[in-house]
Amino acid sequence: MSEGISKKRAARLERRKSKLSAIFKADEKQEDVSCRKEDEQLVEPLQKQPKLSDEEYHALRIKLREKKRQIQCGPTFRLIQLGLTASLNLPKPSRVPVLVTDVQSLFLYTIVGDTYKYDSYKWCDLARWNTLTQTLIFIVEDVSVDEFEENNDIFAETFKIFEDGVEMSNPASDGFSLDLALAYVPISHQMKNRIMEGYPSLHAACEDGYIHGVTNPTVQKVNDNTTTESHAVKNHEVLSQQPYGNDIATREKMGKTNSEAGTEKLSRETSDLSNIIETKSVDVARHNEQRKQSTEVDSVNKDEVRVSNMPSSVDDLEADVSMQEETSGCSRLALLLNASQLISELYPLPGHEEYDNFKFTQDIYHPVTDRSPMFSIDCEWCICVDGSSGLARVAVVDENLKTLYHTYVKPDVEIADYLTRYSGITEELLRDVEKRPFDVQQDLRNLLPPDAILVGQSLQSDLKALKLFHPYIIDTSVIFNMTGTRCFKSKLKVLAASFCGRQIQNSVDGHDPTEDAIAAMELVLLKIQKGTAFGDVILSRNAMQKINDSAMDHDIQMKLFTFIQSHNRSATLITTSPSLQKSYHPKLLKLKTAVVKCKKADESLVDPVQILLASDFQDAVTMTNASRFNSSFTLVHTYAGSEQHNRKEKLKDIDKAIANMYTGISLNGMMIVIFGGKTNPMQNGACLVRVNKRLI
């Protein structure tokens, strides 16, 4: 038996040796670009491989481990935030394209990484950038994102290679060419100080052509258009013009963009919501007369809620908000969800069939102000036999963290699952309960004043369980963010522990709605005290970015390849047009060594940028294949041509060229493919990114 096992082990070991030998033979052939063959010819059949000795086998295993380590410790690329909203994986009408300057920021990041404050993080993340072995950028103008996506059979190899792709705005929509949009980059004060070490003044550097000022007519248009921080695409029809009433939405400079049909629906539903609130409001004179005295609301447990007097004029209201902002971090009005957020967060709104039996919390709503009272609501529910959420327990807490209302509720529909492990509700607890959801609705309508602000964590679920509409909402899952993206929200338990030091939801008997309501109210009160950026990593980062941006002088720019050479990086430019060559052409720095940033004091300077002028597209591809290992940064700018004759053949050539170029990319090298779009400004382009982490 042992002899049989040893034979199996020996055979298995021989197969491993043969496979490992084949891997590295294929890898050696892959690295030898000049004698590279077709993929199917690279690996010979395993039975033809010579047998390895134990020493050779162990040496190859060590080599394999080293390659795996290089891959695991190498750079990684992923889309985040704005990049995900522009992803080619989304339907085209719902995308928000990235700008050309966003793509340019990735170029700069591959060169200087996080040593300069370029905001590549807004649309992508490149981890361990300093382990990049090379960057190859292949630009093809006159190819649009529509043409690329509609011909997925022609671009078969490209689709196989690139998993991350985004739609890119067409710079022609702003009146300038792609080469000018990419060729000039902003410089920081740190860079300007280094320039002063090599030139007597910035004016002298401008005259020498090392940097370019705003008075330079060539880059005047670029300065006016490419340094904008806004990611709203001017000519992208799907962007909603609905103003955001929430500071969060306006300060993020991004939002959830819907399709054109979805935008119309958004505007229509927003209008409907506004009309509902407007029609339910009394005239100002009557309203002011009513609000001269404090309103008392009787709750079920006989507690009182007092509503402050409402300002009698707009000036009083503005003075009220100003006073609040002076004495606290932000106004509670800044935390309210606006109409579009109510829709995107799936809050129940009138006009939907599934909410036909819902009621409003008030027959008449008063305009919300910074003196409007806040009430935190939390509900627990069960699953009914019809699949709906059956209301089982409700708690309401005021701004003083006093419990105003608490009751158990028996759903109208028979319960299928009490969800005891979450809700704490059991059959025994509800056995003698007589209160029904309708009774709770009436209690809340009596409890809440006409301008009440409801507070809660993902309050849409509670309102659906209550079957109530309410227009004024502060959602702690929206105003707090610890994940760095709006798509993923932190739990109330995590928020309470992180910001309030409160431990909640630890009971084995399930959640206590009063405890959760208090935690949500504490979070909102803390947010009002600290400001909108508190507890939100996105807004905090944007605030820091504004500080960093103040150190950037966008009035002075530098050519891309001058920037690369200033950081002592080797570079190659391959173009098919003298005009393109002129756009990118750097100022040679042979005599200006003082402005070149070297990693070490004794580091030798790299050779000047290699500039190659190709006769046509095929010539540019040939030059790229021959010279791509000579530089750490290679940019190839070509034209596909706008003629429709043999268009598909031309696109096939582009696909083949992309596949051939990527095959020669070194391990941990990055390839970026840019389709520049058509001459028609409405025909956007695309940007595809891939880091080579293959192990053949």
Side-chain angles (χ1 to χ4, degrees):
M1 186 70 178
S2 59
E3 183 180 355
I5 294 176
S6 63
K7 288 183 178 180
K8 288 182 179 180
R9 287 180 177 174
R12 188 162 55 246
L13 182 60
E14 287 301 323
R15 287 196 299 271
R16 288 178 180 174
K17 290 180 179 180
S18 299
K19 183 177 180 180
L20 199 58
S21 176
I23 286 175
F24 283 99
K25 283 199 172 186
D27 193 39
E28 292 172 1
K29 292 182 180 180
Q30 181 69 22
E31 293 175 354
D32 186 6
V33 179
S34 60
C35 64
R36 189 173 65 252
K37 300 179 181 180
E38 295 297 328
D39 291 342
E40 62 269 15
Q41 297 176 341
L42 289 178
V43 183
E44 297 179 6
L46 295 182
Q47 62 270 21
K48 295 184 179 180
Q49 298 297 323
K51 291 186 177 181
L52 298 176
S53 64
D54 291 341
E55 293 78 9
E56 292 173 328
Y57 173 64
H58 289 299
L60 288 181
R61 287 192 64 184
I62 294 173
K63 187 176 180 181
L64 181 62
R65 279 198 298 267
E66 177 62 23
K67 278 190 170 289
K68 287 183 177 180
R69 188 194 64 79
Q70 291 177 4
I71 292 175
Q72 293 170 352
C73 299
T76 57
F77 175 90
R78 66 187 181 97
L79 298 178
I80 59 173
Q81 298 177 39
L82 294 178
L84 293 173
T85 65
S87 173
L88 298 184
N89 294 325
L90 293 178
K92 181 174 174 58
S94 62
R95 297 178 199 152
V96 181
V98 299
L99 299 180
V100 177
T101 47
D102 294 325
V103 176
Q104 183 195 66
S105 70
L106 178 59
F107 298 177
L108 305 182
Y109 199 84
T110 64
I111 301 164
V112 299
D114 49 14
T115 59
Y116 280 129
K117 303 300 181 181
Y118 289 103
D119 51 359
S120 63
Y121 64 76
K122 284 186 175 181
W123 75 281
C124 66
D125 177 69
L126 179 60
R128 296 180 292 276
W129 63 274
N130 53 347
T131 60
L132 274 175
T133 54
Q134 67 176 137
T135 302
L136 172 61
I137 302 169
F138 183 49
I139 301 173
V140 185
E141 295 205 45
D142 298 316
V143 177
S144 68
V145 65
D146 296 331
E147 194 171 28
F148 172 62
E149 292 183 302
E150 291 169 1
N151 294 280
N152 52 4
D153 55 332
I154 295 178
F155 287 100
E157 294 299 322
T158 304
F159 275 101
K160 288 180 182 178
I161 294 172
F162 294 94
E163 299 175 356
D164 294 312
V166 295
E167 183 172 341
M168 182 188 73
S169 65
N170 192 333
S173 62
D174 288 323
F176 54 89
S177 61
L178 180 61
D179 56 307
L180 285 180
L182 294 174
Y184 291 86
V185 301
I187 63 175
S188 65
H189 280 298
Q190 181 182 358
M191 190 71 180
K192 287 200 302 181
N193 292 336
R194 202 164 77 241
I195 292 172
M196 295 295 291
E197 297 177 6
Y199 289 94
S201 66
L202 292 178
H203 179 70
C206 282
E207 287 187 341
D208 194 31
Y210 181 64
I211 59 176
H212 304 269
V214 292
T215 56
N216 187 329
T218 305
V219 297
Q220 177 69 51
K221 202 170 196 64
V222 179
N223 282 305
D224 294 339
N225 294 283
T226 63
T227 59
T228 177
E229 296 178 348
S230 172
H231 284 262
V233 182
K234 297 179 181 178
N235 293 285
H236 201 264
E237 296 178 354
V238 303
L239 290 182
S240 170
Q241 299 301 319
Q242 172 67 26
Y244 280 75
N246 189 346
D247 284 351
I248 293 177
T250 56
R251 292 173 60 182
E252 281 185 67
K253 299 177 182 176
M254 65 171 289
K256 296 182 178 179
T257 305
N258 302 310
S259 64
E260 185 172 356
T263 304
E264 293 177 359
K265 180 180 178 182
L266 170 63
S267 302
R268 183 172 61 253
E269 293 180 342
T270 302
S271 177
D272 291 342
L273 182 64
S274 301
N275 291 335
I276 290 168
I277 297 174
E278 182 178 357
T279 56
K280 288 179 174 290
S281 299
V282 296
D283 58 77
V284 176
R286 178 185 172 190
H287 170 68
N288 290 337
E289 185 66 24
Q290 291 177 342
R291 293 304 300 270
K292 286 181 180 179
Q293 297 180 352
S294 298
T295 303
E296 296 184 0
V297 181
D298 293 328
S299 66
V300 173
N301 59 6
K302 305 303 182 182
D303 288 311
E304 293 184 348
V305 181
R306 292 197 174 271
V307 183
S308 302
N309 289 335
M310 182 178 181
S312 59
S313 67
V314 175
D315 293 337
D316 292 340
L317 175 60
E318 292 177 351
D320 176 42
V321 175
S322 299
M323 179 181 66
Q324 175 71 16
E325 291 176 347
E326 289 177 0
T327 58
S328 63
C330 71
S331 163
R332 64 188 64 186
L333 298 180
L335 305 180
L336 287 174
L337 297 186
N338 56 57
S340 63
Q341 287 176 312
L342 290 173
I343 295 171
S344 62
E345 296 293 335
L346 304 180
Y347 273 81
L349 296 173
H352 293 268
E353 293 183 2
E354 61 177 308
Y355 306 137
D356 283 345
N357 59 343
F358 280 40
K359 294 183 179 181
F360 286 92
T361 52
Q362 290 293 317
D363 293 327
I364 296 175
Y365 288 104
H366 293 164
V368 65
T369 73
D370 206 59
R371 292 180 180 176
S372 296
M374 298 187 298
F375 300 88
S376 183
I377 294 183
D378 191 79
C379 302
E380 301 298 335
W381 55 85
C382 305
I383 301 299
C384 297
V385 292
D386 61 355
S388 63
S389 297
L391 186 65
R393 192 179 180 187
V394 184
V396 180
V397 173
D398 66 6
E399 294 181 49
N400 297 318
L401 308 182
K402 180 187 294 184
T403 302
L404 300 180
Y405 183 81
H406 177 270
T407 185
Y408 288 97
V409 191
K410 181 172 289 186
D412 294 326
V413 183
E414 183 181 351
I415 297 175
D417 187 351
Y418 285 89
L419 300 177
T420 305
R421 62 191 181 281
Y422 303 117
S423 65
I425 303 298
T426 63
E427 183 178 0
E428 290 74 19
L429 280 174
L430 299 184
R431 179 173 293 125
D432 299 326
V433 172
E434 297 181 357
K435 191 174 288 290
R436 295 287 183 170
F438 173 81
D439 301 320
V440 176
Q441 288 179 340
Q442 292 303 118
D443 291 341
L444 294 181
R445 283 168 59 85
N446 294 330
L447 172 67
L448 300 175
D451 60 342
I453 299 174
L454 297 188
V455 170
Q457 172 84 1
S458 299
L459 200 57
Q460 68 270 36
S461 300
D462 301 276
L463 290 177
K464 289 176 182 178
L466 290 165
K467 295 187 177 180
L468 288 174
F469 298 122
H470 193 80
Y472 310 135
I473 303 291
I474 296 179
D475 191 331
T476 53
S477 72
V478 175
I479 64 174
F480 283 87
N481 186 286
M482 299 177 64
T483 63
T485 175
R486 295 295 177 203
C487 301
F488 303 99
K489 300 179 179 180
S490 299
K491 295 180 179 180
L492 180 63
K493 180 178 181 178
V494 175
L495 297 177
S498 301
F499 300 107
C500 301
R502 175 185 285 273
Q503 300 297 323
I504 64 173
Q505 301 177 357
N506 290 328
S507 174
V508 294
D509 297 327
H511 297 180
D512 181 351
T514 302
E515 181 184 56
D516 291 355
I518 291 175
M521 182 61 76
E522 284 185 335
L523 286 168
V524 171
L525 294 174
L526 188 62
K527 187 86 167 182
I528 292 174
Q529 179 185 357
K530 299 292 187 180
T532 53
F534 175 77
D536 192 317
V537 295
I538 298 177
L539 295 187
S540 299
R541 186 171 58 191
N542 287 348
M544 290 303 299
Q545 184 62 27
K546 286 185 177 181
I547 297 174
N548 294 330
D549 286 344
S550 65
M552 299 290 294
D553 191 342
H554 294 297
D555 291 340
I556 300 178
Q557 296 192 347
M558 180 182 291
K559 285 194 174 182
L560 174 63
F561 281 90
T562 305
F563 181 88
I564 296 172
Q565 195 175 359
S566 297
H567 289 80
N568 206 34
R569 294 282 300 274
S570 60
T572 300
L573 169 65
I574 301 175
T575 69
T576 56
S577 169
S579 62
L580 292 178
Q581 186 184 45
K582 183 178 180 181
S583 299
Y584 289 107
H585 198 294
K587 181 66 180 179
L588 300 183
L589 305 178
K590 288 183 178 179
L591 303 179
K592 301 296 179 182
T593 56
V595 300
V596 178
K597 182 179 180 181
C598 298
K599 294 181 180 179
K600 300 178 181 179
D602 58 347
E603 183 180 7
S604 60
L605 297 180
V606 300
D607 294 332
V609 176
Q610 183 181 13
I611 302 177
L612 303 175
L613 182 61
S615 58
D616 54 22
F617 176 83
Q618 292 296 343
D619 190 26
V621 174
T622 302
M623 287 183 176
T624 304
N625 291 333
S627 62
R628 57 187 156 188
F629 292 106
N630 298 334
S631 303
S632 58
F633 188 96
T634 302
L635 187 145
V636 185
H637 198 136
T638 65
Y639 286 94
S642 57
E643 67 278 359
Q644 296 301 312
H645 180 65
N646 293 330
R647 184 65 177 179
K648 290 191 175 182
E649 293 299 323
K650 185 69 174 179
L651 297 180
K652 288 181 180 178
D653 291 340
I654 295 174
D655 182 61
K656 183 178 179 180
I658 292 172
N660 288 339
M661 289 181 183
Y662 180 74
T663 303
I665 292 291
S666 61
L667 183 66
N668 291 331
M670 172 183 282
M671 182 173 182
I672 303 173
V673 175
I674 296 176
F675 295 124
K678 298 282 191 177
T679 53
N680 179 359
M682 299 306 296
Q683 293 288 320
N684 285 332
C687 176
L688 313 175
V689 184
R690 175 71 182 269
V691 174
N692 178 18
K693 303 185 76 71
R694 297 171 302 172
L695 185 60
I696 303 298

